[in-house]
Amino acid sequence: MGNGPSLPGPPGTKFRVIGAGMSRTGTKTLNEALTILLDGPVHDSGIQSLGGPVNQIKAWLDIMELAPKVQTFSEQKKLDWLISEVLDGYVATMDCPAATLTPEIMRVYPDAIVIATTRDQAGWWKSMNYLNSLMGTWYLPLVVLWLHKTQVYGIWRERFHQIMLWRYKQEKIEEDTLRKHEEHLRQVVPPEKLFFYEVSQGWGPLCKILNVPIPDRPFPHNNSKGAAAQTFRDHIMAGVLSWLFMLMVFSMAIWFLRNWLNESFA
């Protein structure tokens, strides 16, 4: 929450970084920093899979459904193709669900490095729990029922639960998920390709990882609690307006139907 979807660059743009940090570890800040340093668009998989173009939303739903089930050679090739198709034109990917599929993305982009944003466990869980409290409200699915793109949220959530069960033996993000996720990264990513990074460190360590000069501009800071709350409020407002519109349509339909019935049986 907090940013808008990004459009891909030219086909064949070199993909360089798998952003493998768990949500609420500074992923939106790293997104903006990589956009500057790598001079290209970053694919925020959370935003793109829920609010991006329709073809990207469908692709991510297909990826999330297929990844835990892959058994045959043809299924693996299909998953590889889906990942390469949705990430073509981007210099990096970021956030969940992509972060939970780091080995699968590495298979498609073996030359990419893996940068995992991290932070202290207690601070992360406090921030993550706040986001969960927003996204887990009972009325959110009902309020956004008539918003076209948000109608996929129920499907997305169910498929993300399946990925979590498959990868971490948890149905949802819990207090120890950050630890489990980072342990998984250490097991599946070659040490020379895995970098843990705290966004509080600024440009220096990140530029060293990427072997690029430090830019002459302030380090970005993004996705505060306020930004997440504002995005939530924007969705609620849009949902309320969509309900008002649908109620107006229903009322007009009933009015025309009553008039027709009165005239027909007068």
Side-chain angles (χ1 to χ4, degrees):
M1 302 178 97
N3 283 357
S6 60
L7 296 175
T13 296
K14 183 175 177 58
F15 184 89
R16 297 183 56 184
V17 175
I18 300 170
M22 185 56 66
S23 300
R24 307 308 295 177
T25 58
T27 55
K28 298 298 184 290
T29 295
L30 180 60
N31 184 326
E32 192 169 337
L34 290 180
T35 300
I36 295 167
L37 295 176
L38 302 181
D39 193 27
V42 174
H43 185 101
D44 187 314
S45 62
I47 291 172
Q48 304 293 139
S49 64
L50 284 168
V54 173
N55 65 311
Q56 290 194 10
I57 293 175
K58 183 181 184 306
W60 271 112
L61 290 177
D62 290 344
I63 290 168
M64 294 166 73
E65 180 181 32
L66 180 59
K69 301 177 181 178
V70 167
Q71 293 184 344
T72 67
F73 178 79
S74 61
E75 288 173 339
Q76 183 63 67
K77 286 301 180 183
K78 181 179 180 181
L79 180 61
D80 292 348
W81 179 83
L82 285 168
I83 291 173
S84 64
E85 180 75 7
V86 81
L87 296 182
D88 188 28
Y90 292 92
V91 296
T93 189
M94 196 66 57
D95 222 320
C96 296
T100 64
L101 299 174
T102 296
E104 288 70 27
I105 300 175
M106 286 174 56
R107 177 185 170 91
V108 179
Y109 298 103
D111 294 332
I113 63 171
V114 177
I115 300 179
T117 46
T118 188
R119 62 185 294 187
D120 69 284
Q121 172 73 31
W124 170 78
W125 179 240
K126 182 178 180 181
S127 180
M128 190 71 241
N129 209 26
Y130 175 76
L131 183 62
N132 286 342
S133 71
L134 293 179
M135 299 302 293
T137 50
W138 64 268
Y139 55 82
L140 181 61
L142 179 63
V143 172
V144 301
L145 180 64
W146 301 109
L147 297 180
H148 175 66
K149 287 183 178 179
T150 53
Q151 290 172 359
V152 305
Y153 177 64
I155 303 172
W156 187 99
R157 182 170 57 179
E158 177 57 32
R159 293 184 183 177
F160 186 66
H161 286 174
Q162 293 305 312
I163 288 177
M164 292 293 295
L165 280 171
W166 165 61
R167 186 118 283 170
Y168 310 115
K169 309 302 184 219
Q170 297 175 326
E171 189 175 90
K172 59 184 180 179
I173 295 177
E174 299 177 0
E175 190 168 357
D176 65 342
T177 300
L178 180 62
R179 176 185 58 80
K180 287 189 173 184
H181 174 65
E182 293 183 351
E183 286 178 355
H184 172 71
L185 292 177
R186 291 186 179 96
Q187 292 169 4
V188 300
V189 182
E192 68 274 12
K193 286 185 173 290
L194 178 60
F195 301 89
F196 287 95
Y197 167 69
E198 295 187 23
V199 295
S200 61
Q201 297 173 319
W203 287 124
L206 181 59
C207 292
K208 184 177 180 180
I209 292 169
L210 297 170
N211 194 27
V212 297
I214 296 176
D216 185 22
R217 59 188 296 178
F219 187 77
H221 293 282
N222 209 329
N223 203 36
S224 65
K225 279 188 176 182
Q230 184 59 52
T231 302
F232 176 79
R233 288 193 293 268
D234 290 344
H235 278 78
I236 293 296
M237 180 58 68
V240 169
L241 291 175
S242 69
W243 267 103
L244 291 174
F245 175 77
M246 294 305 299
L247 289 173
M248 182 179 68
V249 171
F250 290 149
S251 298
M252 291 178 63
I254 292 172
W255 183 81
F256 281 115
L257 178 61
R258 288 182 62 184
N259 282 352
W260 179 80
L261 289 173
N262 290 335
E263 291 176 0
S264 297
F265 296 99

